[in-house]
Amino acid sequence: MKKTRIGLLLSILLIFAVFSLSFGVVYISPTETFHHVWDIITQNDTVNINKDIIQYLRLPHILLSFFIGAGLALTGTVMQAVVKNPLADPYLLGISSGAGLGAVLSIVFGITGLLGIYGIGIFAFLGAIFTSITILLITSIIGKHGTLSLILVGFAVNSICAGLISFIIMLVSDPRQTQTIQFWLMGNISIDNFYTIGILSLLIIFGTLFFFKQSRILDLMLMGDELSITMGRNLSTYRKWYILIVSFLVGSIVYMTGIIGFVGLLIPHAVRQFTGSGHKKLIPFAALTGGIFLVWADVIGRSAIPGLELPIGVSTAVFGAPLFVWMLLNGNYGGKR
């Protein structure tokens, strides 16, 4: 049954990927799209404007969107287990706000003028890592390692970073800097470098495999620390390492695309309706579904309004929030046990 579901999801992924390549300012039929994709795979050097559109514009977008969505869904799934909170996502503990604060500081101090757009990414990545380490240090100082302490400390750090971002934006007088900050905070998928996309894809794949191997520990986290201690597992250590790894993955994602919310909250809930809460099934299905979701959020954002490309963070919220509300209204909350 499990192999059948995975095969079905992979088939849907392939079909959706082909269809998504068809849509944009220039519509290309699915049949022609498949033909051009085959030419790209077989390195058939045919000259065709539609093939160039697919190869150099849409394919990088889709690949990056897929791995970003997979990474966000993966980290959301892990965070919901780590803090035992169904409303958790990769940004619950202030990781996104820390990354955003790092990006904003780099823009304000002109680091982008020295390092280009990747200067923002580097500072965003460092902000995410610094925030997670700060949360773990504060939690260790107060001497409480439970999920409630992590949530409360994370909420406090998140509020501080969000407040500092708002304060800095208020002080910025240059409209160009303000526009750059807003563009970054809303998320964007604009990288067309296959080498960079390949590095990110390897990070997401390795992260998925790692947490898949840790499925049993993640299942124990859902049961509670007390029961796990009786089974000879100290979850506090695992929890710290998981938060650092999640921060590394989220920092890498923010480095590439800015801040994209909602995927890590929505996708694990949706996938649990089919797989249950066991992480051995949940993790691979969530990663695949998250990838598909963000691919189509990107396609819709680029195609919904002619002549206007919505930031990916906006399209995920606009199209994902109604789906999440629908799940709540139908009682699909938390998944099967």
Side-chain angles (χ1 to χ4, degrees):
M1 188 67 176
K2 178 182 176 182
K3 291 182 179 179
T4 302
R5 287 183 174 181
I6 292 177
L8 178 61
L9 191 56
L10 288 173
S11 300
I12 293 173
L13 170 63
L14 178 61
I15 294 171
F16 272 43
V18 173
F19 280 147
S20 64
L21 284 169
S22 299
F23 293 95
V25 176
V26 177
Y27 175 75
I28 305 173
S29 69
T31 303
E32 185 182 356
T33 298
F34 182 82
H35 176 74
H36 291 316
V37 169
W38 181 254
D39 284 344
I40 293 170
I41 294 174
T42 58
Q43 297 183 342
N44 186 359
D45 296 329
T46 56
V47 178
N48 187 288
I49 185 62
N50 287 345
K51 178 188 172 185
D52 290 341
I53 290 173
I54 291 173
Q55 182 172 0
Y56 299 110
L57 295 178
R58 295 183 184 175
L59 192 56
H61 254 84
I62 285 175
L63 289 174
L64 183 58
S65 298
F66 176 79
F67 285 110
I68 293 297
L72 292 174
L74 168 69
T75 52
T77 302
V78 173
M79 287 304 300
Q80 289 175 12
V82 166
V83 301
K84 288 179 60 180
N85 188 331
L87 295 178
D89 69 355
Y91 307 133
L92 176 69
L93 297 185
I95 298 172
S96 69
S97 294
L101 180 59
V104 168
L105 288 174
S106 71
I107 293 170
V108 170
F109 288 111
I111 304 299
T112 53
L114 298 174
L115 301 176
I117 188 64
Y118 289 105
I120 303 177
I122 290 170
F123 272 73
F125 176 82
L126 293 175
I129 298 297
F130 177 78
T131 300
S132 63
I133 293 175
T134 300
I135 291 169
L136 293 176
L137 286 175
I138 294 175
T139 306
S140 299
I141 290 172
I142 64 177
K144 297 180 180 180
H145 306 285
T147 58
L148 180 60
S149 298
L150 283 171
I151 293 173
L152 293 176
V153 174
F155 178 79
V157 173
N158 186 32
S159 299
I160 292 171
C161 291
L164 287 174
I165 290 174
S166 299
F167 180 70
I168 292 172
I169 292 175
M170 182 184 70
L171 293 179
V172 172
S173 58
D174 188 346
R176 289 176 299 179
Q177 286 188 332
T178 303
Q179 187 177 13
T180 303
I181 291 171
Q182 291 175 340
F183 182 73
W184 182 264
L185 294 179
M186 288 188 293
N188 67 92
I189 294 179
S190 58
I191 292 177
D192 57 2
N193 185 330
F194 280 103
Y195 177 76
T196 306
I197 295 172
I199 293 176
L200 179 67
S201 67
L202 288 177
L203 290 176
I204 300 302
I205 290 171
F206 284 134
T208 303
L209 292 175
F210 172 79
F211 283 116
F212 179 77
K213 292 290 185 181
Q214 299 293 310
S215 295
R216 189 164 179 267
I217 302 298
L218 292 169
D219 289 341
L220 287 175
M221 287 182 175
L222 293 178
M223 299 178 186
D225 290 48
E226 295 80 7
L227 178 61
S228 302
I229 289 174
T230 63
M231 301 176 67
R233 298 282 188 178
N234 183 2
L235 297 184
S236 175
T237 302
Y238 287 100
R239 191 173 284 114
K240 291 177 181 178
W241 278 109
Y242 290 175
I243 290 174
L244 287 175
I245 294 171
V246 164
S247 300
F248 181 82
L249 292 176
V250 172
S252 301
I253 290 171
V254 172
Y255 172 89
M256 298 282 188
T257 62
I259 296 175
I260 302 173
F262 213 83
V263 180
L265 171 64
L266 170 66
I267 298 304
H269 280 299
V271 175
R272 283 192 189 95
Q273 312 313 313
F274 302 96
T275 66
S277 297
H279 287 86
K280 199 163 188 178
K281 294 181 180 179
L282 179 59
I283 284 177
F285 273 80
L288 288 172
T289 307
I292 294 172
F293 174 81
L294 201 64
V295 163
W296 276 93
D298 179 47
V299 169
I300 294 173
R302 289 186 284 113
S303 309
I305 304 175
L308 177 64
E309 182 173 337
L310 294 176
I312 188 67
V314 174
S315 57
T316 54
V318 169
F319 300 108
L323 178 59
F324 189 63
V325 171
W326 177 82
M327 290 171 54
L328 295 178
L329 292 175
N330 284 273
N332 297 326
Y333 188 77
K336 304 173 185 176
R337 291 290 176 185

